[in-house]
Amino acid sequence: MRKIFILLLLVNLLFSEEIGELTFSNDYKKVMAQAKKENKRVYMLITSSSCRWCRKFESTTLTDWTVAEKLEGKYLLLHIDRDNDYFPKHLKHKRVPRHYFLTPDEQVIYTFLGYWNVEDFTSYVDDVDWQYSDKLKKGIIK
């Protein structure tokens, strides 16, 4: 039993990473399946290991408690390395950091590019909430 617990812990560590107070997964298929099951939206951050703006966003904006408060509970968190992790080709990823907010059915609610400070990023998250409500109301997304 103890060996199984340790094995499960190691598997969880392989497929997730902690940034500040937030825990991200890097398994696109698993997160999207969980989103459908829990009917939750997904915040997907696409980065690259060679991107200094990605590291700055991770070490400053994503470590702030107000960002954690905005994202936690409302979104499942997905952090994809464009060079190593799987995600659908139709999601643009040539320039990073790229931010996607997705429905449980993988529809794009909102996307934007670049490094953003805490104030600007939380403003974008508020815009996503508005966009989601508006697109639902208009029947653009389900």
Side-chain angles (χ1 to χ4, degrees):
M1 184 67 159
R2 186 176 175 173
K3 289 180 183 178
I4 292 172
F5 176 75
I6 291 171
L7 180 64
L8 289 173
L9 182 63
L10 289 173
V11 168
N12 187 43
L13 290 173
L14 283 173
F15 293 104
S16 65
E17 70 176 291
E18 201 166 300
I19 301 175
E21 295 181 24
L22 297 170
T23 301
F24 285 79
S25 173
N26 70 342
D27 188 331
Y28 181 87
K29 291 179 180 181
K30 180 181 171 185
V31 168
M32 295 315 297
Q34 183 181 353
K36 283 182 183 179
K37 183 179 177 182
E38 297 177 16
N39 195 30
K40 280 185 122 175
R41 292 175 275 164
V42 174
Y43 166 62
M44 181 172 73
L45 172 63
I46 302 175
T47 63
S48 170
S49 58
S50 62
C51 169
R52 75 180 187 93
W53 290 108
C54 298
R55 299 298 81 74
K56 184 173 181 173
F57 181 76
E58 293 164 352
S59 66
T60 58
T61 306
L62 285 183
T63 59
D64 188 273
W65 68 271
T66 55
V67 170
E69 202 172 62
K70 288 272 185 191
L71 294 175
E72 243 174 11
K74 195 180 293 184
Y75 298 95
L76 296 178
L77 306 175
L78 183 58
H79 185 195
I80 300 293
D81 180 313
R82 73 168 179 203
D83 304 318
N84 298 314
D85 296 324
Y86 167 81
F87 63 100
K89 300 283 186 231
H90 72 276
L91 299 175
K92 295 178 184 176
H93 63 280
K94 290 184 180 178
R95 295 177 56 209
V96 289
R98 167 69 71 177
H99 311 267
Y100 278 97
F101 290 85
L102 306 169
T103 68
D105 294 325
E106 302 183 42
Q107 293 178 293
V108 176
I109 301 166
Y110 201 66
T111 184
F112 53 93
L113 178 68
Y115 163 81
W116 298 96
N117 64 31
V118 171
E119 183 180 343
D120 292 333
F121 184 74
T122 55
S123 177
Y124 268 117
V125 174
D126 290 339
D127 288 347
V128 170
D129 291 342
W130 181 86
Q131 287 280 336
Y132 181 66
S133 297
D134 188 55
K135 287 180 178 183
L136 273 176
K137 196 182 316 176
K138 292 178 179 175
I140 297 170
I141 60 174
K142 300 174 190 175

